[in-house]
Amino acid sequence: MSGGEFDEVVLEARNIVKNYGGTRALKGVNFEIRKGTVTTLFGENGAGKSTLMKILSGVERPTSGQIILDGEPVEFASTNDARDRGISIIHQELSLAPNLSVRDNIFMGREIVGPFGVDYAEEARQTRALLEEMQLAIGPDTLVHDLRVGQQQIVEIARALSVNSRILIMDEPTSALAAAEVEVLFGIIRDLLARGVAIVYISHHLEEALEVTDHAVVLRDGTMTAKAERKDIDLEWIVRNMVGDNFDLGSPPTGYDFGPPALAVTGLTVLDRENPERAVVNGLDLEVRAGEIVCLYGLMGAGRTELLEAIAGREPIASGDVLLEGRSILKDSIAERIDAGVGLVPEDRQRDGLVQTFDVGTNLTLASLGRSLVRGVISRRTENDRAKALIADVTVKTPGPDLPIGALSGGNQQKVVIGKIVGTHPRVMLLDEPSRGIDVGAKAEVFRLLSDRARQGLAIVYSTSEVGECLSIAHRIIVLRRGRISAEFGPDATKEMIMAASGEAVAA
Ligand SMILES: Nc1ncnc2c1ncn2[C@@H]1O[C@H](COP(=O)(O)OP(=O)(O)OP(=O)(O)O)[C@@H](O)[C@H]1O
Ligand SMILES: [Mg+2]
C-alpha cells in the first residue's frame, strides 16, 4: 500500500535483546522501518511483537541493543519522549481511562492551552474532527466506559492520529472492528502513507494485514526468522513462516446427532442504554440444541454483544424470555446463571474477563472454584492441577500458573479468558469475539476444543465479525442486523452471501 516515492529507512533497531526475569522475549532482533510504507510484523502469540514495538515507542527499555532514528542513535526515556520525536503507538491492550471523556483521553498529558487555561472548546473541536474522520458517531464528551470495545478501539486510533507522527505503530488496531470500520482505517492509512508516514502494522487477521503490507517480517520466539517484499509473498508464506506448517481452521464437527434444545430465546428485546426509545435487540427468537454450534455474524452495533450479555444476565431484558434446557432463567442472577451452566466469554477481556492483580492460574480457576473443593475446603493442589490442565487445553504460552496475567502476551491473555469459561463446564457457551488477537495455530486449537465439547453435548453460540470463522466452526450461521435476524445459513453458504445479509458492502 506504499505511498510511492519514498523508501528511506527512518528507524532502525539493531540487535535488540529484552529479558523479563528469566524470559528472553527478544533475542537480538534487527528491524527497520521505511518512510511511506507499511511494515507488517507477523508471529505467533508470545513471539515478541508487542515487546519490540514497546521498545521502539519508549514504553519499555531494551536490555541491550540500539535504536537508530534518522541515522542517529537514540534512547527513549518515556513514551512522551518517543512521541516528541514523532513516534506513536496504538496499543494492543486498550489503554484509555474509562472514567474520562473521549476528549480528555485524546488530549491527556498534552492539553491545548490558550490565554485562559486549557482550551476545552478547541480540544472538543479537534476531537470532533478526528471522530468524523474515523466515522464514529459519538460526541467528544462521551465517557469512555459507555463505549463498546470496538468504539474504544477507534478512539484509541484517533488518539494516536491526533499527534501527527512520522512513525505510527499499530499493534492489533482492528481486533474489535468490523469490516466496514477496517475499511475506514485503511483509507486513513493510505492518506498517511501518501504524506510519507512510516507504519508498522501487527494483526492476526492475516488476510487483512496482507492487504496493507509493503514489507513483511516474521518473528518467532524472539528471533527474526523471515523477511520479504509484498510481491514475493502470499497467505501461505505467512502461515508457514509463523507456525512452520500450513493448515486451515477445519470444518464444523459432524458425525453425531444434536440433543434437545439447550438454549431458547423468545421475543427477546433489549433497549439501548443511552436511548431507551431504541431496541438494540428487537423481539429476537433463537434456539440452540445440545451439540450445536451457531455462529452470530453482524456489523458493529448489530446487537450481538447485547444479545449474549442479556442471556448471561449482564444486560437488562425489556421483554421476552430465556430458557436453559427448558427452564426460564430470567429471574436468576449472573452467578446463578453461571451455576446453571451459562458460560460467557465476554467481549472486553480487560474489564470483564480477567482480574489484573491475579496470576494466570487464579484467573483460570476463579470462576469454577467449587471444582477445587476437597471435602469442603479449597485445595491449592487441586486448583493448581486444574489450572495446568486448562493451560494445556487452550494452549496458553506461560512458564506456569504463577505468572501475573499482565505478563502474558495479548493473545495468551485471551486464551485464559476462554479457558476460564471452559473450566466451568457450561451447558451453553456464549463466545463474544473470542479470537481477538489469537494466532492462527492457537485459533485452530481453540476450534478443535470447541468441536470436542460440542460433540459431548455443549451448545455453543459463537459471535464474530470474521466470516471465515463462521464457515469453519458453525453448523448454522445467523446474521444479525439492527437487532433482528436478517438471514440464516448452513455451512455451505458463501462469504459473500453472509456479508451481504449483514448490510456490509461486498466488493465486486
Ligand atoms: N512484563 C512481562 N513480564 C514477563 N514476561 C513478559 C512481560 N511482558 C511480556 N512478557 C513475555 O514476553 C514474550 C513476548 O510477549 P509479547 O507480548 O511481545 O508477544 P506478542 O508477539 O505481542 O504476542 P501476541 O500475538 O499474543 O500479542 C511472552 O512470552 C510474554 O509472556
Ligand atoms: Mg502482542
Side-chain angles (χ1 to χ4, degrees), residues 46 48-51 92 171-172 202 204 409-411:
K49 304 179 297 295
S50 296
T51 304
Q92 177 174 20
D171 193 352
E172 290 279 354
I202 299 175
H204 287 292
S409 77

Side-chain angles (χ1 to χ4, degrees), residues 190-201:
R190 267 181 223 109
D191 292 345
L192 293 171
L193 293 174
R195 299 204 319 247
V197 174
I199 293 176
V200 184
Y201 194 91

Side-chain angles (χ1 to χ4, degrees), residues 76-245:
F76 301 128
S78 64
T79 44
N80 285 352
D81 195 9
R83 194 175 62 201
D84 290 345
R85 292 165 193 261
I87 304 172
S88 57
I89 180 164
I90 298 167
H91 284 287
Q92 177 174 20
E93 296 309 321
L94 300 176
S95 63
L96 305 173
N99 297 321
L100 295 182
S101 68
V102 169
R103 182 201 65 213
D104 288 343
N105 266 285
I106 288 180
F107 287 98
M108 201 176 2
R110 46 187 196 88
E111 288 75 10
I112 299 178
V113 182
F116 311 106
V118 176
D119 190 343
Y120 292 113
E122 177 58 19
E123 287 187 1
R125 194 190 63 75
Q126 292 190 21
T127 303
R128 251 182 251 110
L130 281 164
L131 294 175
E132 199 164 298
E133 193 183 351
M134 295 293 309
Q135 299 182 24
L136 182 62
I138 58 167
D141 293 321
T142 313
L143 293 182
V144 162
H145 72 68
D146 290 332
L147 300 179
R148 289 278 167 204
V149 183
Q151 297 175 314
Q152 288 184 30
Q153 195 157 40
I154 293 174
V155 172
E156 193 90 36
I157 295 170
R159 179 168 67 176
L161 291 177
S162 71
V163 187
N164 278 327
S165 318
R166 297 187 304 139
I167 297 171
L168 184 56
I169 296 169
M170 304 183 162
D171 193 352
E172 290 279 354
T174 60
S175 62
L177 303 189
E181 289 109 26
V182 175
E183 276 314 310
V184 172
L185 178 65
F186 280 12
I188 291 170
I189 290 180
R190 267 181 223 109
D191 292 345
L192 293 171
L193 293 174
R195 299 204 319 247
V197 174
I199 293 176
V200 184
Y201 194 91
I202 299 175
S203 176
H204 287 292
H205 293 196
L206 303 180
E207 280 127 341
E208 171 198 298
L210 198 58
E211 212 180 302
V212 290
T213 303
D214 295 306
H215 314 285
V217 171
V218 182
L219 258 186
R220 209 162 161 186
D221 269 331
T223 306
M224 199 70 78
T225 53
K227 198 173 146 179
E229 302 302 302
R230 172 64 185 95
K231 63 176 183 354
D232 301 322
I233 63 168
D234 55 13
L235 210 56
E236 198 263 346
W237 181 92
I238 299 171
V239 176
R240 183 162 33 84
N241 280 288
M242 264 177 78
V243 293
D245 194 351

Side-chain angles (χ1 to χ4, degrees), residues 112-407:
I112 299 178
V113 182
F116 311 106
V118 176
D119 190 343
Y120 292 113
E122 177 58 19
E123 287 187 1
R125 194 190 63 75
Q126 292 190 21
T127 303
R128 251 182 251 110
L130 281 164
L131 294 175
E132 199 164 298
E133 193 183 351
M134 295 293 309
Q135 299 182 24
L136 182 62
I138 58 167
D141 293 321
T142 313
L143 293 182
V144 162
H145 72 68
D146 290 332
L147 300 179
R148 289 278 167 204
V149 183
Q151 297 175 314
Q152 288 184 30
Q153 195 157 40
I154 293 174
V155 172
E156 193 90 36
I157 295 170
R159 179 168 67 176
L161 291 177
S162 71
V163 187
N164 278 327
S165 318
R166 297 187 304 139
I167 297 171
L168 184 56
I169 296 169
M170 304 183 162
D171 193 352
E172 290 279 354
T174 60
S175 62
L177 303 189
E181 289 109 26
V182 175
E183 276 314 310
V184 172
L185 178 65
F186 280 12
I188 291 170
I189 290 180
R190 267 181 223 109
D191 292 345
L192 293 171
L193 293 174
R195 299 204 319 247
V197 174
I199 293 176
V200 184
Y201 194 91
I202 299 175
S203 176
H204 287 292
H205 293 196
L206 303 180
E207 280 127 341
E208 171 198 298
L210 198 58
E211 212 180 302
V212 290
T213 303
D214 295 306
H215 314 285
V217 171
V218 182
L219 258 186
R220 209 162 161 186
D221 269 331
T223 306
M224 199 70 78
T225 53
K227 198 173 146 179
E229 302 302 302
R230 172 64 185 95
K231 63 176 183 354
D232 301 322
I233 63 168
D234 55 13
L235 210 56
E236 198 263 346
W237 181 92
I238 299 171
V239 176
R240 183 162 33 84
N241 280 288
M242 264 177 78
V243 293
D245 194 351
N246 203 12
F247 57 84
D248 70 310
L249 286 175
S251 42
T254 52
Y256 62 98
D257 293 326
F258 299 146
L263 174 74
V265 166
T266 52
L268 191 80
T269 297
V270 177
L271 301 178
D272 189 344
R273 283 188 197 169
E274 259 132 81
N275 174 15
E277 305 280 283
R278 199 178 79 94
V280 277
V281 177
N282 203 340
L284 193 128
D285 296 316
L286 172 69
E287 190 177 88
V288 187
R289 295 166 65 181
E292 191 182 17
I293 306 177
V294 171
C295 186
L296 276 186
Y297 181 79
L299 299 182
M300 193 162 99
R304 290 180 290 139
T305 294
E306 290 84 353
L307 169 62
L308 298 185
E309 295 200 333
I311 297 170
R314 292 156 162 255
E315 188 80 57
I317 290 173
S319 59
D321 204 352
V322 179
L323 307 178
L324 183 72
E325 294 172 337
R327 180 182 73 86
S328 172
I329 53 168
L330 221 49
K331 295 207 168 61
D332 294 3
S333 65
I334 296 177
E336 285 165 345
R337 291 185 208 205
I338 294 172
D339 286 343
V342 179
L344 171 69
V345 174
E347 180 185 36
D348 190 344
R349 66 169 168 258
Q350 294 310 333
R351 192 168 58 186
D352 309 318
L354 298 170
V355 184
Q356 285 300 326
T357 48
F358 289 170
D359 61 26
V360 173
T362 313
N363 268 293
L364 276 167
T365 54
L366 195 64
S368 51
L369 265 189
R371 287 177 186 270
S372 304
L373 291 179
V374 175
R375 281 178 240 102
V377 180
I378 290 173
S379 155
R380 273 303 286 181
R381 189 128 147 243
T382 311
E383 197 186 337
N384 210 40
D385 289 348
R386 293 189 48 246
K388 284 188 181 151
L390 289 168
I391 285 171
D393 270 353
V394 288
T395 65
V396 180
K397 188 186 168 195
T398 173
D402 301 330
L403 203 73
I405 193 79

